Amino acid sequence: MRRLFEEVSISTLSAAFIVVVALLVAGMGAHMWVELQNASASIRAREAAAGRKEISQATHALAQRMRDISANLAGWDETRQQLVFDEYYTLWRDVRLKDARIVPSGVVAAALYHKGGDILIPDREGRMPARLPAAPPILVHARESGHDYLYSYFPVHADPDRAVLLGYGAIKFDFLAEMRTVQSFRYTDISTLSVAVPGTGLVPLENLAARLKFSIKANPDVEALHKLFLHAYGRQLLATLLVLAVAAWFTHRVLVRPLRLMSEEIKALQSAGGTLPSAERLTGPVSVLELADVRRAFNDHQRRLAEMHRNLEQSNQDFYDQARRDALSGAFNRRAFEEDWLELGQVGHCRGCNLLLFDCDHFKAINDTYGHPVGDAVIVAIAACLRQALRAGDRLYRIGGDEFATMLRDTPLRMAEAIAERCLEHILVHDFQQYGVAEPVTISIGLAHADSEEGLSELQKQADLAMYTAKRPGNRKIVVYDESIGQVSALVANREVSLVFQAIRLPQLLEFRYQPIMRLPDPVAEYVEALARIRLDGELIGPAAIFPIVQARRLDSEFDLAVIAAIRRDLDLDLPALARGVSINISAPGLLNTKVIQALEALKAAYPARKVVIEITETALITQMGPAVQHIERLRLAGCLVALDDFGSGYSSLRYLAAMPVDLVKFDISLVHQLRQEGERPRKVVEDIARMVLNAGYELVAEGIETRELLDKVTEMGFSHAQGFYFSDSHGQPPAG
Amino acid sequence: MWRFCVLLLFMGMSVSASATPVTLPLDNGLTARANFAPGRPGKPAVLLLHGYLQTHDFPTIHRMFEALAGEGYTVLAPNLTLNVTHRRQSLACEAIHTHTIQGDSREISAWLHWLGARHRGPVALIGHSMGSVGLLAYLEAYPRGRVGKFIGISIVEGRLKHDESGRQDKLAEMRDRMAQNNRQPVTEQFSFCQKLTATPESLASYMQWSPEHILKAAHKLAVPIVFIMGSRDDRLGPGWTDRLLKTPARVHVVQGANHFMDGEHEFELLDLVLKELADL
């Protein structure tokens, strides 16, 4: 019950109160009505008893009256006169008797009888019996022609001592008239009076009361009281209903509505996701002081809540923005990217959706070389350049350390490419030297385009692949994904990534194509370059697929260690290809990794008689030149030779050459192939560079020797070594013929 | 005044002590009633007769009965039956009157006969109003009775409301009815009755006692006759007392008394009656 009342609304309570009051009033009225009915019934019972008493008294009075009248008539001298001399009896009976008023007017008829019982003279109408019915005196009731009469038969004596009987007298009364005469009936409806007459037609008067049937008069006072009560109760009920209606309206206006509004406000506040209602809803005239105080306090509280809510919303918005903004660059972060990407997928509207991935080339090297403040400045500058290049409304996301992305909706591929070009140009023209970065800062852009929702799911992967493709040396810095890249994608699919990780964990999965490096001028194989690949279950994954994964996953050092371990394995197997020595490609991060250096030292120590060349790719930006030089020195001290790989294809080739104490310089295939060009200048440049390097005391290795003509050329130029398909196929085997 | 006190004393003593109701069966089958008070020996007897249609309970008669009884007289006050056996009440004017003055005389005779059996002295007849006329009628009908004196108090004839000139006509009409054996009662203004219902015979019997008839009887009867009249009796005909004074009868006029001699005049009446009885 208590819970029930706790959950009842004020509307229900007030309505219940009104109903209870109305029922109470109605109940009181009903109770009063019942009491009135009981009182009326009691009054009717008393009146019935009084009526019976009235009738009994009336019959007694009537009997006495009849006796008195009879005695009066019997004692009247003229009665005796007629009994003795009846000559004028008829006149006496019809005229004198009435005129003398010896008998009242209610006497219908009178007659005198001889002592023998015969009537003196019958009247014409036969109103009186011709003979006495019994020995007088008697009082009887008779029903004649449906009318009730009373008869009084009495003896008439000559003397007061009643010793001398002269005859008899009889008088006839109208019963009802006499009843009305003898008594005023307050309770009995005398008009309903009837007599249950036996077969004889005569009822002795003493038995008459028991045979009377009658109704009790409707009590006008009771009826008036009923009417008065009904009128009063009706007026009271009407007044009560009016009062209740006014009270209901007033209660609703003053209490219920304000409370309900407040309750609704509170419920709205409690509901999940409910918005703060307007406090003005509770304004208006309120008559209840306490309620006004509560409402005022509630309004104040609500205003404060609204203000808090606005602050919270602002804070939430700030938090939301902060949570979705990259604090450094001001671009949206990866979370925002993922949410927007999810929203894009949920919307499902993808006609001309483009995903552009931006990746700063060699950012880690820049960061490591110039420090984090410079790296941060580069990131901020890249972000600013990209935002400037993007259209208004295009969102720029920083989804990784140096990776940015943007989604271009409803944009044709051509326009997306133009935007990508603009981004690239903004980066190229930006002066990064202001941050102390000497090297040019470039970005690689992968663009994937989809014209339908079906292509949306692959868009990220495609853009990723395109971006990785763009990062590869010699490729355009903007790569639009197409099916050819899709083939590569198979290599960088999850399975391939897994294989790279497995190879790092299990170096036995690594295989090498040992490409011979020939000593010139008479090409003699002096040692081999180990070109890594991964084989698993008959499937072979080459360097073109491996190294983007390694670089993307920052697995350079780990992969270098795996390669070293695998080469050690092959050395231990005493493979013939490794009889004279081996050249191992080490990544820039690997050069800086002590474990890698130690592994190389250990390898050299294990095979001191064999030539071990450490190739450091020139395309990888060596940021920490000092430690790199130290490690090179350690390797050289251990007996290793150090070669600068891919010279002429990457960053500051000459700076590297000048800074690093390498033994060999491997001209990149692109540089070597310049020698095949018909133009004089390119070939001259290459020749001059080669001469310069040779003059500096380095040995030169020409990569990409595919023809005898090219071999002769490099031999002529003084290259000490050469390698290429001219000497072996892609599998490291000597070419046929 | 002392007589008044003595009278009151006697009245108080005698009402219950001396008055005895008596009845008298008559020849016509009726029974007459009377009050009787036996007196002291040596005192004359008195028959007191009430007026027209009255009884011995009429105040004038009643007071007189009591006074005379108190004086030691044997007093008999009959109720004329008026053809009503055991009559106890005055007979209403509207009653059917069949009685006649002759029948009244017969009843007076019967009572005197009854009285003679109980009193052997002289008898005085005292009547009031028309009772005096009835006694005159008795005296006229029975001249040889033993009546020693007749005292008529406020004697008056049965007066018609018409003037006396119409009496003979009305009397003739009644006799004519009687002659035709028409016994249908008639209604007339007679005596004190505005509407007297009586048979022609009855009415005629009383009407025949006209003032002249009374005066003639006063002249003719041998019995000493005394009339006691009130000076203020308004029921009398004009000059009636004067006409009585012209008769041989001794006439006493009570000054200031009316027809009923009530009030203080009843004592003077009593004095006069006692005085008249004293010499009987």
Side-chain angles (χ1 to χ4, degrees):
Chain A
M1 184 63 73
R2 182 186 177 177
R3 180 176 175 79
L4 176 64
F5 279 108
E6 284 176 352
E7 295 177 350
V8 172
S9 68
I10 185 66
S11 301
T12 306
L13 275 177
S14 57
F17 174 75
I18 298 295
V19 169
V20 166
V21 172
L23 290 176
L24 194 60
V25 172
M28 289 175 62
H31 176 71
M32 291 173 64
W33 176 255
V34 169
E35 290 295 321
L36 186 63
Q37 290 297 324
N38 291 337
S40 299
S42 175
I43 290 173
R44 280 195 292 271
R46 285 198 300 271
E47 287 178 343
R52 286 190 295 274
K53 187 175 181 181
E54 267 185 349
I55 289 295
S56 176
Q57 289 175 342
T59 52
H60 282 90
L62 181 58
Q64 186 59 45
R65 173 177 164 85
M66 291 175 67
R67 289 189 188 96
D68 292 344
I69 294 172
S70 299
N72 196 27
L73 183 57
W76 193 30
D77 285 350
E78 293 184 36
T79 304
R80 294 194 301 277
Q81 176 192 27
Q82 295 304 318
L83 283 173
V84 175
F85 301 106
D86 60 2
E87 181 179 1
Y88 299 99
Y89 169 74
T90 302
L91 179 63
W92 173 85
R93 181 193 65 198
D94 296 340
V95 179
R96 171 57 187 160
L97 192 58
K98 293 179 181 175
D99 292 343
R101 299 185 179 179
I102 294 298
V103 293
S105 58
V107 172
V108 176
L112 297 177
Y113 293 84
H114 295 294
K115 287 189 288 185
D118 294 328
I119 193 167
L120 261 60
I121 299 173
D123 58 356
R124 293 178 181 175
E125 294 81 6
R127 293 177 296 180
M128 298 297 285
R131 282 192 59 82
L132 294 175
I138 58 171
L139 300 171
V140 294
H141 167 273
R143 170 70 55 80
E144 296 173 6
S145 302
H147 204 82
D148 294 314
Y149 295 101
L150 294 174
Y151 286 90
S152 174
Y153 298 97
F154 52 90
V156 179
H157 294 88
D159 56 325
D161 298 332
R162 307 170 74 89
V164 180
L165 179 64
L166 289 178
Y168 299 96
I171 48 180
K172 181 179 182 180
F173 296 89
D174 184 316
F175 174 58
L176 291 180
E178 285 305 305
M179 286 289 277
R180 289 190 179 95
T181 300
V182 297
Q183 183 147 338
S184 175
F185 291 93
R186 178 181 177 185
Y187 304 104
T188 307
D189 185 358
I190 197 67
S191 64
T192 64
L193 191 64
S194 63
V195 183
V197 182
T200 60
L202 298 177
V203 179
L205 201 58
E206 58 270 21
N207 299 332
L208 182 60
R211 290 182 172 274
L212 291 178
K213 295 180 179 178
F214 54 88
S215 299
I216 300 300
K217 285 180 181 176
N219 191 327
D221 294 336
V222 173
E223 292 182 353
L225 186 61
H226 276 80
K227 289 181 179 177
L228 182 65
F229 173 81
L230 287 176
H231 290 163
Y233 182 66
R235 288 193 293 271
Q236 180 198 0
L237 191 61
L238 182 62
T240 303
L241 290 177
L242 286 174
V243 168
L244 287 178
V246 172
W249 175 84
F250 187 76
T251 304
H252 179 270
R253 183 73 181 173
V254 173
L255 290 177
V256 176
R257 183 170 172 272
L259 284 176
R260 191 171 59 198
L261 287 176
M262 281 192 280
S263 175
E264 289 175 355
E265 305 295 295
I266 293 170
K267 287 178 181 176
L269 288 174
Q270 291 174 340
S271 63
T275 57
L276 272 176
S278 171
E280 283 69 21
R281 290 184 61 190
L282 291 181
T283 59
V286 174
S287 301
V288 180
L289 179 62
E290 292 77 4
L291 193 56
D293 292 340
V294 171
R295 197 188 67 181
R296 195 176 301 111
F298 181 78
N299 285 343
D300 294 342
H301 179 68
Q302 188 169 327
R303 273 191 288 274
R304 287 196 294 273
L305 279 179
E307 187 176 355
M308 290 174 62
H309 190 262
R310 283 192 295 274
N311 294 336
L312 280 175
E313 281 186 335
Q314 185 61 46
S315 299
N316 285 339
Q317 187 62 42
D318 293 344
F319 289 143
Y320 183 85
D321 290 342
Q322 289 175 9
R324 287 157 182 79
R325 286 279 184 182
D326 175 54
L328 177 61
S329 64
F332 290 98
N333 59 12
R334 186 170 192 91
R335 180 177 181 182
F337 174 78
E338 291 175 350
E339 288 178 355
D340 290 351
W341 186 259
L342 184 62
E343 179 189 356
L344 183 64
Q346 289 174 342
V347 170
H349 176 70
C350 183
R351 289 184 178 178
C353 285
N354 300 273
L355 178 60
L356 278 73
L357 296 181
F358 308 91
D359 191 273
C360 180
D361 298 329
H362 311 297
F363 175 74
K364 188 173 188 308
I366 294 171
N367 204 31
D368 293 342
T369 302
Y370 300 104
H372 290 296
V374 175
D376 290 346
V378 169
I379 290 297
V380 171
I382 290 173
C385 291
L386 293 178
R387 273 198 297 268
Q388 290 172 4
L390 293 176
R391 299 170 300 184
D394 292 337
R395 283 187 162 192
L396 178 67
Y397 306 91
R398 186 186 180 197
I399 59 176
D402 57 343
E403 291 183 27
F404 291 88
T406 187
M407 301 176 208
L408 305 178
R409 304 183 187 187
D410 300 324
T411 305
L413 178 59
R414 183 176 299 175
M415 183 178 292
E417 286 185 282
I419 292 172
E421 291 285 354
R422 195 163 62 234
C423 291
L424 202 59
E425 289 174 3
H426 275 77
I427 296 295
L428 285 174
V429 301
H430 188 76
D431 180 18
F432 285 94
Q433 290 185 351
Q434 62 180 310
Y435 313 123
V437 178
E439 294 78 10
V441 175
T442 59
I443 60 171
S444 300
I445 302 174
L447 170 59
H449 176 82
D451 280 322
S452 65
E453 290 79 5
E454 289 75 17
L456 204 58
S457 61
E458 297 293 325
L459 212 56
Q460 280 198 55
K461 180 180 176 183
Q462 293 172 354
D464 208 27
L465 290 171
M467 194 268 289
Y468 285 132
T469 303
K471 287 185 75 71
R472 294 195 62 188
N475 288 350
R476 284 186 71 232
K477 302 309 292 182
I478 300 173
V479 173
V480 179
Y481 177 83
D482 57 19
E483 292 183 353
S484 63
I485 296 176
Q487 294 173 357
V488 179
S489 71
L491 301 176
V492 294
N494 290 337
R495 186 169 178 274
E496 285 72 14
V497 173
S498 177
L499 282 177
V500 171
F501 277 97
Q502 289 186 53
I504 292 172
R505 191 171 65 254
L506 301 170
Q508 59 268 28
L509 297 179
L510 286 172
E511 290 184 3
F512 297 95
R513 182 173 72 85
Y514 292 109
Q515 187 178 50
I517 297 176
M518 310 303 287
R519 166 65 75 173
L520 299 178
D522 297 326
V524 177
E526 186 174 295
Y527 60 94
V528 295
E529 181 180 359
L531 301 175
R533 61 202 63 196
I534 303 172
R535 181 182 298 276
L536 182 63
D537 299 332
E539 186 178 358
L540 193 65
I541 303 173
I546 293 173
F547 287 102
I549 296 173
V550 171
Q551 291 173 7
R553 304 295 175 178
R554 315 290 188 193
L555 300 172
D556 305 78
S557 299
E558 289 82 357
F559 193 75
D560 288 344
L561 289 171
V563 168
I564 294 168
I567 291 174
R568 176 68 178 269
R569 176 202 63 197
D570 288 354
L571 286 171
D572 293 343
L573 292 174
D574 198 16
L575 293 179
L578 301 177
R580 294 182 181 88
V582 63
S583 176
I584 305 171
N585 288 282
I586 296 299
S587 66
L591 182 61
L592 299 174
N593 190 294
T594 305
K595 289 183 179 177
V596 173
I597 300 303
Q598 290 174 347
L600 291 171
E601 289 174 339
L603 181 66
K604 179 59 181 175
Y607 297 94
R610 303 193 187 188
K611 192 171 187 174
V612 175
V613 180
I614 306 304
E615 295 188 12
I616 302 169
T617 180
E618 191 259 356
T619 57
L621 178 63
I622 299 174
T623 55
Q624 295 173 300
M625 195 58 74
V629 171
Q630 288 178 3
H631 285 168
I632 291 172
E633 293 292 348
R634 281 182 58 181
L635 291 172
R636 294 180 69 193
L637 187 62
C640 298
L641 297 175
V642 178
L644 183 61
D645 196 13
D646 298 330
F647 181 80
S649 64
Y651 293 98
S652 307
S653 302
L654 294 178
R655 187 170 72 89
Y656 281 5
L657 184 61
M660 289 190 292
V662 299
D663 300 296
L664 299 168
V665 174
K666 295 182 71 173
F667 268 42
D668 186 72
I669 190 171
S670 60
L671 201 59
V672 172
H673 284 183
Q674 293 293 326
L675 298 174
R676 293 186 307 186
Q677 300 296 322
E678 294 183 353
E680 182 67 19
R681 179 169 291 182
R683 183 169 52 84
K684 183 66 174 173
V685 170
V686 174
E687 289 174 355
D688 288 346
I689 293 173
R691 188 179 303 111
M692 181 186 66
V693 173
L694 287 170
N695 291 337
Y698 297 103
E699 289 187 334
L700 278 178
V701 180
E703 293 180 322
I705 302 299
E706 297 168 350
T707 63
R708 181 63 193 189
E709 181 184 4
L710 193 57
L711 175 62
D712 293 341
K713 180 63 179 178
V714 297
T715 303
E716 181 186 352
M717 289 174 65
F719 278 78
S720 60
H721 294 82
Q723 67 178 114
F725 292 153
Y726 180 76
F727 305 107
S728 63
D729 60 12
S730 60
H731 300 290
Q733 300 299 321
Chain B
M1 181 57 69
W2 64 272
R3 285 194 298 253
F4 174 71
C5 296
V6 171
L7 176 62
L8 284 179
L9 180 61
F10 278 115
M11 286 177 65
M13 292 175 61
S14 62
V15 165
S16 59
S18 59
T20 300
V22 295
T23 58
L24 174 64
L26 302 176
D27 295 339
N28 56 6
L30 302 180
T31 299
R33 298 179 71 248
N35 281 338
F36 174 71
R40 291 193 292 272
K43 284 278 190 177
V46 177
L47 186 147
L48 287 173
L49 188 61
H50 54 76
Y52 188 61
L53 309 183
Q54 302 302 317
T55 67
H56 52 215
D57 293 323
F58 192 79
T60 303
I61 298 302
H62 180 75
R63 289 193 296 269
M64 185 61 69
F65 179 93
E66 295 295 335
L68 294 177
E71 289 292 331
Y73 294 94
T74 296
V75 184
L76 176 66
N79 280 347
L80 296 175
T81 65
L82 305 179
N83 286 342
V84 177
T85 185
H86 294 84
R87 188 175 78 90
R88 297 185 288 273
Q89 304 148 344
S90 58
L91 195 59
C93 297
E94 294 79 8
I96 301 171
H97 296 271
T98 58
H99 52 91
T100 61
I101 199 167
Q102 292 79 12
D104 298 341
S105 297
R106 284 193 290 271
E107 287 184 27
I108 294 170
S109 174
W111 279 114
L112 288 174
H113 180 74
W114 181 87
L115 183 61
R118 290 163 179 78
H119 184 272
R120 292 192 176 275
V123 177
L125 300 180
I126 301 175
H128 175 249
S129 190
M130 275 194 69
S132 301
V133 177
L135 292 175
L136 287 178
Y138 163 76
L139 290 174
E140 188 179 69
Y142 299 92
R144 296 180 181 177
R146 58 183 187 102
V147 176
K149 182 175 276 187
F150 164 74
I151 300 173
I153 301 171
S154 301
I155 186 170
V156 63
E157 79 283 6
R159 291 178 61 82
L160 288 170
K161 295 305 175 186
H162 310 289
D163 56 14
E164 280 298 314
S165 61
R167 176 181 294 268
Q168 293 305 317
D169 296 337
K170 182 59 68 178
L171 187 57
E173 177 188 343
M174 295 300 111
R175 286 172 177 164
D176 184 53
R177 287 174 177 266
M178 292 164 60
Q180 295 176 6
N181 200 26
N182 182 357
R183 294 181 56 80
Q184 186 66 27
V186 296
T187 302
E188 287 293 338
Q189 291 185 354
F190 182 74
S191 184
F192 56 87
C193 293
Q194 294 296 319
K195 290 182 179 179
L196 177 71
T197 302
T199 61
E201 182 183 8
S202 173
L203 182 59
S205 69
Y206 291 101
M207 287 184 62
Q208 69 181 356
W209 279 87
S210 62
E212 290 73 20
H213 195 159
I214 295 171
L215 294 173
K216 183 180 177 181
H219 282 280
K220 185 177 67 179
L221 291 176
V223 178
I225 297 174
V226 177
F227 295 117
I228 301 174
M229 306 300 289
S231 65
R232 293 183 177 273
D233 191 343
D234 57 358
R235 301 207 171 194
L236 306 179
W240 174 243
T241 301
D242 296 336
R243 295 178 69 185
L244 291 176
L245 288 173
K246 294 176 180 177
T247 63
R250 190 162 49 235
V251 177
H252 300 285
V253 177
V254 178
Q255 294 301 320
N258 60 14
H259 187 70
F260 305 103
M261 299 286 180
D262 52 0
E264 61 182 4
H265 304 291
E266 63 186 79
F267 305 110
E268 186 174 356
L269 171 64
L270 180 59
D271 287 342
L272 291 172
V273 170
L274 291 176
K275 185 179 178 180
E276 290 296 334
L277 293 177
D279 59 355
L280 187 62

